[in-house]
Amino acid sequence: MGKVYLVGAGPGAPDLLTLRAAEILKRAELVFHDALVHPQTLELAVHARKILVGKRSGRHSTAQSFINKRLVDAARKHAVVVRLKGGDPMLFGRAQEEIDGLRKAGIDFEIVPGVTAATAAAAELGVSLTRRGIARHVVFVTPRAAEGERENDWAASVLAADTAVIYMGAGLAEELGAELIGRGKSPTTPIALVEGATLPEKRAFHGTLADLSKLARKAGDGPAVVLVGEVLRAALAEPVLAEKIESILKRA
Amino acid sequence: MGKVYLVGAGPGAPDLLTLRAAEILKRAELVFHDALVHPQTLELAVHARKILVGKRSGRHSTAQSFINKRLVDAARKHAVVVRLKGGDPMLFGRAQEEIDGLRKAGIDFEIVPGVTAATAAAAELGVSLTRRGIARHVVFVTPRAAEGERENDWAASVLAADTAVIYMGAGLAEELGAELIGRGKSPTTPIALVEGATLPEKRAFHGTLADLSKLARKAGDGPAVVLVGEVLRAALAEPVLAEKIESILKRA
């Protein structure tokens, strides 16, 4: 019986993988990976057969129950099986369903955490998600409900938190902005939309919550995070950063 | 003029550093590091002088303004200066003050994100922080206000989020639990306290919100995270995990 590693591939750039993940990939016999994992990351798995199972927002993807079953079957035939996911496996993936399937089948598994898109985007902007005197909490949220899923109140969590990072496809932006403003969030709350954080083609757009759908139209339809909160205003007050942002906006 | 890298050292285990961070440490001439950075991580900086500036909850630490100044001075004398912080630099560090200082002085800088304790603890437990049908948002919060800081309502953000991860010294547990229950959070909400996640001496304690201060007394006074939310209940329902948790509790 083999072992399954649920591994976070990090936010995009291949060198933001952890040392542990790189070492496991070198030993892997089979790698089941998401569509967004970087080709150079997959190349680390020199001995492995690579199987694309991953979801991309709005595109065809392998059914989750089928992935769960394939992981179990693979661990019965191979010593080292890797399930490679963008970002961190414990945030906004369907990892729990895969873990539950492995547990039920009695398959040994290990989870390797990764860098998530929220902190990678904050790093790109040079803006901390928390800041002394301004923000002591940050919420990570995905407002997209799966089919048949109960409607958790994502907006309430954004309203209560000092800083919010919304993991989204840019296509959702218009209704998100309207919902937050309708629920009392100031339209002048500073926001930043970061697309492709840590990749060469990354783009960042700054503005206020009232601008969200406008900024989202400038961005593509790929995965993006939207940062919302006063931590961004403090950074905008820095003259050097303001210049940098202006040049980003001109490029956009 | 040199460049300053603000680098996340990850949650504890030295192999949860990113490949990028490891490469930068190899080139470093000076490393200013927190107390909690692993000795093996520091050893990667083979050419560097290492200077401990980091804070530990409740212990003597270098004043922040002095750290800010030292980073600027160092970059005027050295090509590669590293500020190495536990976890991710953009979460619960004082990175923004260091960034602002570097910007004002016109020093080039780069931020390298890292794995944060919350997802590392979730990986240890095998419990996803989000789960289809149960949790679409997770808040990361530190309830410890710095001296003179305005009192953000940390509890409101915990109450509004599906899952919460509280970054804390275990010493705060009693008042945290009382505050959350007093504000209407169910005393039977499942919690887990994880101490030293990813290190060999790691310990995990499971229970309900009503048990928080009891669990915290079993834990040491080192850094810990407390996970709060229904995602933990679903995991407890798995018979295999329940056994594992029982064995952890017996060891504790």
Side-chain angles (χ1 to χ4, degrees):
Chain A
M1 290 282 267
K3 184 168 175 178
V4 176
Y5 295 84
L6 281 86
V7 174
D15 64 347
L16 290 175
L17 191 75
T18 64
L19 302 171
R20 185 181 299 177
E23 187 271 333
I24 292 167
L25 284 172
K26 278 176 198 143
R27 295 190 288 115
E29 294 169 25
L30 258 181
V31 176
F32 296 93
H33 65 91
D34 287 353
L36 291 170
V37 171
H38 198 285
Q40 283 179 39
T41 304
L42 290 173
E43 280 169 21
L44 294 174
V46 283
H47 306 298
R49 189 154 70 95
K50 289 120 192 170
I51 300 164
L52 171 68
V53 292
K55 310 178 173 58
R56 262 193 97 148
S57 156
R59 313 244 175 125
H60 176 77
S61 66
T62 312
Q64 186 61 50
S65 59
F66 187 64
I67 299 175
N68 303 348
K69 187 180 175 311
R70 287 194 78 172
L71 288 175
V72 169
D73 291 346
R76 289 184 170 137
K77 287 180 206 142
H78 299 277
V80 181
V81 176
V82 172
R83 173 71 177 100
L84 190 60
K85 289 167 170 286
D88 182 282
M90 304 282 87
L91 273 172
F92 307 126
R94 299 276 290 274
Q96 197 68 57
E97 293 163 61
E98 296 170 9
I99 292 167
D100 292 351
L102 294 168
R103 279 197 177 117
K104 270 176 200 138
I107 307 285
D108 194 19
F109 69 91
E110 182 181 323
I111 301 158
V112 180
V115 174
T116 189
T119 63
E124 297 274 16
L125 297 170
V127 175
S128 178
L129 298 172
T130 56
R131 183 178 183 140
R132 196 173 137 86
I134 294 175
R136 282 200 287 158
H137 29 84
V138 53
V139 72
F140 297 170
V141 55
T142 175
R144 192 189 293 275
E147 208 178 321
E149 197 177 359
R150 78 178 172 87
E151 190 53 39
N152 301 34
D153 192 353
W154 67 270
S157 74
V158 172
L159 294 168
D162 291 333
T163 308
V165 183
I166 306 174
Y167 287 63
M168 57 178 283
L172 278 175
E174 192 151 355
E175 65 184 277
L176 297 186
E179 171 82 8
L180 290 172
I181 292 169
R183 298 273 292 272
K185 191 87 180 164
S186 167
T188 64
T189 307
I191 65 164
L193 190 155
V194 182
E195 190 185 30
T198 79
L199 295 173
E201 61 269 28
K202 68 195 169 194
R203 295 196 300 171
F205 304 91
H206 286 254
T208 66
L209 189 54
D211 304 324
L212 178 55
S213 58
K214 194 175 72 192
L215 298 186
R217 278 194 298 274
K218 288 191 196 172
D221 61 355
V225 290
V226 176
L227 286 69
V228 181
E230 291 300 323
V231 289
L232 292 160
R233 191 189 303 277
L236 285 165
E238 294 293 325
V240 178
L241 183 62
E243 268 168 48
K244 193 175 156 194
I245 288 164
E246 203 174 320
S247 73
I248 291 169
L249 287 172
K250 274 182 197 148
R251 281 207 308 277
Chain B
M1 291 281 269
K3 184 168 177 178
V4 176
Y5 295 83
L6 282 85
V7 175
D15 64 348
L16 290 174
L17 192 75
T18 64
L19 302 171
R20 185 181 299 176
E23 186 272 332
I24 291 167
L25 284 171
K26 278 175 198 144
R27 296 189 287 116
E29 293 169 25
L30 257 181
V31 176
F32 295 94
H33 66 92
D34 286 353
L36 292 171
V37 172
H38 198 285
Q40 283 178 38
T41 304
L42 290 173
E43 280 169 21
L44 294 174
V46 284
H47 306 298
R49 189 153 71 93
K50 289 120 192 169
I51 300 165
L52 171 67
V53 292
K55 310 180 173 61
R56 262 193 96 146
S57 155
R59 315 241 173 126
H60 176 77
S61 67
T62 313
Q64 186 62 49
S65 58
F66 187 65
I67 299 175
N68 303 348
K69 187 179 174 313
R70 287 193 78 171
L71 289 176
V72 170
D73 291 347
R76 288 183 171 139
K77 286 179 207 144
H78 299 276
V80 181
V81 176
V82 172
R83 173 74 177 98
L84 190 61
K85 290 168 170 283
D88 182 283
M90 303 284 87
L91 274 171
F92 307 127
R94 299 276 290 274
Q96 198 68 57
E97 293 163 62
E98 296 170 9
I99 291 167
D100 293 351
L102 294 168
R103 279 197 177 115
K104 271 178 199 139
I107 306 286
D108 193 18
F109 68 91
E110 181 181 326
I111 301 159
V112 180
V115 174
T116 189
T119 63
E124 297 275 17
L125 297 170
V127 175
S128 178
L129 297 172
T130 56
R131 183 178 183 140
R132 196 173 138 84
I134 294 174
R136 280 200 290 158
H137 29 83
V138 53
V139 71
F140 297 171
V141 54
T142 175
R144 194 188 291 276
E147 209 178 320
E149 197 177 358
R150 80 181 170 86
E151 190 54 39
N152 300 35
D153 192 353
W154 67 271
S157 74
V158 172
L159 294 168
D162 290 333
T163 308
V165 182
I166 307 174
Y167 287 63
M168 55 179 283
L172 277 175
E174 192 152 354
E175 65 185 278
L176 297 186
E179 172 82 7
L180 289 172
I181 291 169
R183 298 273 291 272
K185 191 87 179 164
S186 167
T188 64
T189 307
I191 65 164
L193 190 154
V194 183
E195 191 185 28
T198 79
L199 295 172
E201 61 270 28
K202 68 195 169 195
R203 295 196 301 169
F205 305 91
H206 285 255
T208 66
L209 189 55
D211 305 323
L212 178 54
S213 58
K214 192 175 74 191
L215 298 187
R217 277 195 299 274
K218 288 191 196 172
D221 60 356
V225 290
V226 176
L227 285 70
V228 180
E230 293 300 324
V231 288
L232 292 159
R233 190 188 305 277
L236 285 165
E238 294 292 324
V240 179
L241 184 62
E243 269 170 46
K244 192 175 155 195
I245 288 163
E246 204 175 321
S247 74
I248 291 167
L249 287 171
K250 276 183 194 146
R251 282 207 309 275

